[in-house]
Amino acid sequence: MQRRTLGKLSAALLLPALAPARAAEGETVRIGWLRAPNDLTTGRARGTLEKALAAQGAKLEWAGPFPAAAPALEALNAGSIDITAGSSTACIAALAARIPMVIFAYQKIAAGGEGILVKQDSPIRSLADLAGKSVAVNRGGTGEYLLMRALEKNGVDASAVKRVYLSPSDSGAAFTQGHVDAWATWDPFVVIGVKSYGARVLADGAAIGSDNAVTLMASRDFVEKKRPLLQAVFDTCLDDNRWAQNNKNEAGRIWAEAMSLPPGLAPAIGENNAVPTRGVTDADVAQIEQIADWYVSSRIVPRRPDIAAGVVKLG
């Protein structure tokens, strides 16, 4: 009897090791989505994330849409969501503020997905012409990074350009009404500006020298407790990303619809944003660190966060 009891106990102890990595039944994953062209938006529209998580015995709850990464990260910090998307600049601000989050996917932004816009008839013809002008940016985010990086690269004193801190939607209104001379922004606002607001691109991401990227982020607690579910989300996002690269017009249609934009903008949005996503590499960490160093020297954040400690590498 003792041998039979020990045998049963040994078998019971072995079961967890032999079972496949799978979340407990009834787990919930809360994803905060943005009105933005990224892999989470694609997965939401195609229903792929729900299916992948259901296969893990979990269900998916969508929160949002959030207007930008900053409020989504505030929700993550408050424990209201587990996963969201943003830019590498948003990650730096969040890590500097000690929000308990990690980056688990990285997508370098295409040159056409960022830029500094001016009106078609503006006398501003070069970045040097921004001296003495006003530029709409979002404080501490991608817009401010793009402007400051462009000025630095082109030898323009940052103090010679007035930064007007506005949300993306308020920036668009200020730009169209002539309250600012230029607008430093990203997609879909680059496409909206050019196609709908009579803007031209003064400098795109390549001319600016931008190192910015779209990132997918998760709370530390979620990573520590529900790693199989994070892996399922990551794998599905990679699948959706490959689909988007092979179907740029359809991806653009999905993103335009999610952002309530005219269908005519879809091809340009698809072309600008259907670019490869990958797990975070050492080179990606180094690139974010360069932006973080620049953020500190520009006094956008008070301290340089430990970027490497804010990354989880998934295979």
Side-chain angles (χ1 to χ4, degrees):
M1 182 178 291
Q2 187 177 23
R3 283 196 298 271
R4 285 198 300 271
T5 301
L6 289 173
K8 289 179 180 178
L9 179 60
S10 297
L13 290 173
L14 284 170
L15 283 175
L18 295 174
R22 179 183 170 91
E25 294 290 338
E27 292 279 15
T28 298
V29 179
R30 303 163 301 169
I31 299 180
W33 72 286
L34 281 60
R35 290 191 183 277
N38 59 54
D39 298 325
L40 295 180
T41 306
T42 308
R44 179 178 180 272
R46 299 182 71 213
T48 51
L49 286 165
E50 282 91 345
K51 292 177 183 176
L53 291 171
Q56 291 284 318
K59 67 177 183 177
L60 173 57
E61 288 184 1
W62 292 101
F66 292 91
L73 286 165
E74 288 174 8
L76 187 144
N77 189 39
S80 301
I81 61 173
D82 305 305
I83 293 170
T84 193
S87 64
S88 49
T89 51
C91 291
I92 292 164
L95 290 170
R98 297 190 171 93
I99 291 177
M101 49 74 69
V102 296
I103 306 163
F104 68 90
Y106 186 93
Q107 182 184 40
K108 182 72 173 70
I109 296 176
E114 299 178 309
I116 296 176
L117 308 181
V118 295
K119 289 289 189 67
Q120 283 286 355
D121 59 356
S122 171
I124 300 171
R125 311 305 301 183
S126 70
L127 290 167
D129 292 339
L130 290 175
K133 307 298 184 182
S134 60
V135 184
V137 300
N138 59 322
R139 185 187 295 271
T142 296
E144 187 167 23
Y145 165 71
L146 293 173
L147 173 63
M148 299 294 282
R149 182 75 182 88
L151 298 179
E152 180 183 59
K153 184 179 180 182
N154 288 271
V156 180
D157 188 342
S159 65
V161 179
K162 181 181 180 182
R163 280 168 276 176
V164 181
Y165 294 114
L166 297 169
S167 68
S169 57
D170 289 338
S171 293
F175 179 79
T176 57
Q177 295 167 17
H179 297 317
V180 294
D181 300 300
W183 181 15
T185 192
W186 61 95
D187 247 4
F189 305 108
V190 172
V191 170
I192 293 171
V194 171
K195 300 290 187 180
S196 303
Y197 296 167
R200 61 179 163 84
V201 178
L202 179 68
D204 66 7
I208 290 167
S210 172
D211 290 325
N212 202 16
V214 173
T215 58
L216 301 184
M217 300 161 282
S219 72
R220 284 192 175 277
D221 185 65
F222 184 83
V223 174
E224 291 169 1
K225 295 180 180 179
K226 302 178 182 180
R227 183 68 169 260
L229 294 181
L230 181 67
Q231 186 71 50
V233 169
F234 174 71
D235 291 342
T236 305
C237 285
L238 292 187
D239 288 341
D240 281 325
N241 177 260
R242 284 187 285 269
W243 175 86
Q245 290 181 71
N246 291 323
N247 301 273
K248 291 186 177 182
N249 285 344
E250 181 64 13
R253 185 197 63 76
I254 285 174
W255 295 329
E257 186 175 293
M259 296 180 286
S260 301
L261 298 177
L265 301 183
I269 291 173
E271 186 63 35
N272 281 352
N273 296 280
V275 293
T277 295
R278 59 176 177 257
V280 188
T281 67
D282 290 340
D284 300 332
V285 171
Q287 197 161 56
I288 299 174
E289 286 174 340
Q290 288 180 358
I291 301 175
D293 288 337
W294 182 86
Y295 259 46
V296 174
S297 64
S298 299
R299 299 182 180 179
I300 295 174
V301 296
R303 67 185 68 84
R304 183 189 188 279
D306 186 343
I307 303 299
V311 165
V312 59
K313 294 184 178 180
L314 301 177

